[in-house]
Amino acid sequence: MKQNSPTKPITLKTLTKTNVWDVQEADVFKMWEAALKDTEAKENMKHYADILRTAFTIEVVDELTKALKTQYEKQGYKVAAVKMNDDKKVIWAIRKRPIVRVTDLTYENIHHITAAKLLEVIDRNFGGGWDSLSQSIQDIIENAFDISTTTLPKDRLHKPGGLYEKKVADGFDVLEISKGSWVEAIFAKVKPLTEKPRLTFQNNSDEDLPEDDDYNRAEDDEDDEMEMPADFDDELNEDTYRTTFEIETDPDEEAENLSEDL
């Protein structure tokens, strides 16, 4: 199933660069025809066409022959005549932009593919595995999917009760990438939709603050104590700053470290 399946019909007036990925080629022609009957929508047809082009390839066909139409349809296009604002009709050949390479992934379309489709796209990336993806592509993917990886010897990857078995039982799709006698497993699962919390700021007026001199002096003293030495930035480096936390180790995960010696 696709993520974020819409519950209400999408119209040109409600179209965005995100929900346009839920629209199919045949829907575009219906939406366009309906919008021409709406005076407000009719004034913004160019804007809607620009949004459509983020998810669709739209070609204007000057003269359509039966042979040309057949050629377009074999390539996955839907071909039909549409009316413009000036009531002039043009012929459009429309096809949803395919997501076949990792560079096709965007923050707008990542929520509209399945975990299986995602792993299929990653598998086409020259078989390099998760670390072969750029940080920007990883950020896009992790915006919509829970991702974890492990690299183990082939004979240990599928052992009963291991990480692989647990992840699959938890609903993760998995891609296996062979690396000699070792295998990298990439696990992917759609993240549940959550609403972002809204911050509420309290507006404190000056009259809420104490006005006595002792309070003001204490505040000044606190500022003095917080002054940083002039060479503070020089003293703070990778040798002097550490953030540590404990992680419960797993036998499978310990084996991952051995892959560095390959």
Side-chain angles (χ1 to χ4, degrees):
M1 292 180 62
K2 289 183 179 180
Q3 305 175 53
N4 301 352
S5 297
T7 56
K8 295 181 180 180
I10 299 174
T11 66
L12 283 189
K13 293 176 70 173
T14 62
L15 197 66
T16 68
K17 290 183 179 180
T18 297
N19 66 18
V20 68
W21 289 92
D22 286 313
V23 177
Q24 302 306 316
E25 291 86 352
D27 300 327
V28 173
F29 295 111
K30 295 177 182 178
M31 291 164 55
W32 192 271
E33 183 179 355
L36 287 172
K37 300 174 183 177
D38 185 317
T39 303
E40 181 183 350
K42 192 173 180 180
E43 295 175 352
N44 295 287
M45 299 303 272
K46 184 180 183 302
H47 169 69
Y48 301 139
D50 290 340
I51 295 178
L52 287 170
R53 285 189 174 91
T54 64
F56 293 88
T57 298
I58 302 178
E59 296 189 13
V60 178
V61 183
D62 295 329
E63 186 177 348
L64 185 65
T65 63
K66 186 175 181 180
L68 186 58
K69 183 179 180 181
T70 301
Q71 183 179 343
Y72 271 116
E73 290 176 344
K74 284 183 178 180
Q75 297 178 49
Y77 284 86
K78 294 290 184 182
V79 184
V82 295
K83 187 184 293 185
M84 298 290 105
N85 285 354
D86 56 3
D87 291 334
K88 178 183 177 182
K89 283 191 174 183
V90 299
I91 299 172
W92 275 4
I94 300 179
R95 181 178 67 178
K96 179 74 74 68
R97 293 186 183 278
I99 302 174
V100 295
R101 300 179 298 273
V102 292
T103 51
D104 294 326
L105 299 172
T106 67
Y107 282 105
E108 288 76 26
N109 65 27
I110 191 63
H111 292 279
H112 299 271
I113 63 173
T114 63
K117 175 64 176 179
L118 170 67
L119 294 178
E120 177 186 322
V121 172
I122 293 176
D123 192 31
R124 290 198 186 101
N125 193 47
F126 309 109
W130 179 253
D131 289 337
S132 70
L133 304 178
S134 68
Q135 185 61 53
S136 59
I137 295 298
Q138 290 183 10
D139 290 343
I140 290 173
I141 293 172
E142 292 180 324
N143 185 255
F145 294 88
D146 283 322
I147 300 292
S148 59
T149 67
T150 185
T151 302
L152 293 168
K154 289 181 179 179
D155 57 350
R156 292 194 57 191
L157 183 62
H158 294 274
K159 73 173 185 177
L163 179 64
Y164 188 104
E165 187 176 281
K166 291 177 182 177
K167 287 290 186 182
V168 172
D170 196 28
F172 281 80
D173 284 70
V174 58
L175 169 65
E176 297 180 31
I177 299 177
S178 179
K179 296 185 174 181
S181 61
W182 292 61
V183 176
E184 177 183 1
I186 303 175
F187 303 96
K189 182 180 179 181
V190 175
K191 284 184 177 179
L193 295 178
T194 56
E195 291 187 4
K196 296 181 179 179
R198 296 182 178 180
L199 298 178
T200 303
F201 296 94
Q202 183 177 356
N203 185 17
N204 294 325
S205 61
D206 292 340
E207 55 190 33
D208 294 330
L209 300 175
E211 295 182 356
D212 90 337
D213 293 339
D214 290 338
Y215 173 83
N216 294 330
R217 281 196 298 271
E219 189 176 42
D220 292 339
D221 292 342
E222 185 177 347
D223 290 340
D224 291 339
E225 292 175 2
M226 291 299 292
E227 286 187 6
M228 297 299 181
D231 58 350
F232 177 76
D233 290 336
D234 295 332
E235 294 177 359
L236 186 62
N237 54 50
E238 62 182 8
D239 297 322
T240 59
Y241 181 77
R242 291 286 186 273
T243 299
T244 60
F245 51 91
E246 295 183 358
I247 300 177
E248 184 178 351
T249 59
D250 181 274
D252 290 14
E253 293 176 350
E254 289 178 353
E256 292 182 39
N257 297 327
L258 299 176
S259 64
E260 297 178 358
D261 297 327
L262 293 180

